[in-house]
């Protein structure tokens, strides 16, 4: 299947199913395969906007769970009415204390679909992306409870591979996945870490 067809298919599907973005199918595939989310969990979604990962998560965690979204973009009002969802406009790197997000304890799951602004220059974009990934690993202990689960988007490069290898022992399980709904030309893949050893 060509890339345009792939784009059309998932874009149309998301539209028909009332999801805010086609990225929903990436998280769905990750979760179906690796069982990252469960009913009742407390989840934080870094770079949630427009919010399809939040929509998916909100359904899986149900009424006893909570999902907190953070993004530098203006709050998406379409999500404000959802009972187990809270969204904040902020850089995740400006969150120094969890009480800023209305919670006291660390989260069961950290999701990050964040992407840096891109230039089109491959080496610059790869470096920016890896910087962002490293910064997220850096703040992880502040957000994720011991034993918790983690999903992060990464743009592939040799240095990204080397860096990830060095972080592998932070988790009981560590997996890489390129979801079917990711465009085949894209260099993005996802890292799934389970059972965080803080
Ligand atoms: C690909 S989009 C996320 C799509 C989302 N997962 C969905 O399903 O709708 C990436 C987001 O990361 C956000 N972002 C980038 N750097 C950030 C930061 N430092 N703090 C918070 N959000 C950030 C961007 O503003 C952008 O909205």
């Amino acid at each position: 299947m060509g890339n345009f067809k792939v784009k059309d298919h998932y874009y149309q599907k998301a539209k028909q199913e009332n999801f805010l973005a086609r990225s929903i199918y990436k998280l769905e595939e990750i979760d179906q395969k690796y069982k990252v989310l469960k009913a009742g969990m407390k989840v934080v979604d870094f770079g949630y906007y427009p919010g399809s990962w939040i929509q998916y998560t909100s359904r899986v965690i149900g009424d006893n769970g909570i999902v907190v979204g953070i993004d530098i973009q203006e709050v998406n009002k379409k999500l404000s009415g959802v009972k187990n969802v809270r969204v904040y406009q902020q850089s995740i790197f400006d969150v120094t204390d969890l009480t800023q997000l209305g919670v006291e304890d660390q989260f069961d799951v950290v999701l990050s679909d964040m992407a840096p602004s891109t230039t089109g220059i491959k080496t610059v974009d790869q470096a920016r992306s890896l910087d962002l990934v490293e910064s997220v690993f850096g703040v992880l202990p502040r957000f994720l409870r011991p034993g918790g689960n983690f999903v992060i988007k990464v743009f592939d490069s040799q240095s990204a591979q080397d860096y990830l290898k060095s972080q592998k022992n932070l988790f009981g399980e560590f997996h890489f996945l390129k979801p079917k709904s990711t465009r085949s030309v894209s260099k993005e893949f996802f890292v799934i870490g389970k059972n965080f050893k803080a």
Side-chain angles (χ1 to χ4, degrees), residues 65-195:
I66 177 132
V67 52
V68 176
I70 313 169
D71 203 292
I72 45 187
Q73 310 237 33
E74 207 168 300
V75 162
N76 188 348
K77 295 203 178 68
K78 287 184 186 151
L79 293 166
S80 317
V82 191
K83 210 170 135 196
N84 58 1
V85 173
R86 264 188 253 146
V87 282
Y88 294 87
Q89 182 180 12
Q90 203 160 23
S91 165
I92 68 123
F93 302 113
D94 292 338
V95 179
T96 49
D97 194 305
L98 292 184
T99 54
Q100 285 171 256
L101 305 176
V103 295
E104 274 164 21
D105 303 323
Q106 289 156 309
F107 293 91
D108 300 308
V109 182
V110 171
L111 304 174
S112 176
D113 191 26
M114 286 197 294
S117 50
T118 49
T119 61
I121 306 162
K122 195 173 151 196
T123 48
V124 176
D125 291 345
Q126 281 178 343
R128 278 193 191 176
S129 163
L130 183 54
D131 263 6
L132 185 64
V133 169
E134 290 189 20
S135 306
V136 173
F137 272 87
V139 298
L140 207 52
R142 190 180 300 156
F143 290 90
L144 188 59
R145 71 159 169 84
N149 300 332
F150 178 48
V151 174
I152 185 167
K153 178 162 73 185
V154 179
F155 284 89
D156 202 10
S157 65
Q158 189 56 52
S159 14
Q161 292 285 344
D162 293 343
Y163 176 72
L164 292 169
K165 221 175 271 170
S166 74
Q167 302 300 303
K168 202 178 146 187
N169 292 335
L170 281 177
F171 293 92
E173 278 178 48
F174 205 62
H175 308 280
F176 291 3
L177 181 75
K178 183 165 179 173
K180 291 187 190 74
S181 58
T182 290
R183 296 174 182 109
S184 57
V185 285
S186 168
K187 296 276 267 176
E188 83 177 19
F189 67 97
F190 290 83
V191 174
I192 300 98
K194 290 190 74 175
N195 192 10

Side-chain angles (χ1 to χ4, degrees), residues 1-9 183-184:
M1 207 192 278
N3 291 311
F4 291 107
K5 266 198 176 156
V6 171
K7 178 184 171 181
D8 276 357
H9 172 69
R183 296 174 182 109
S184 57

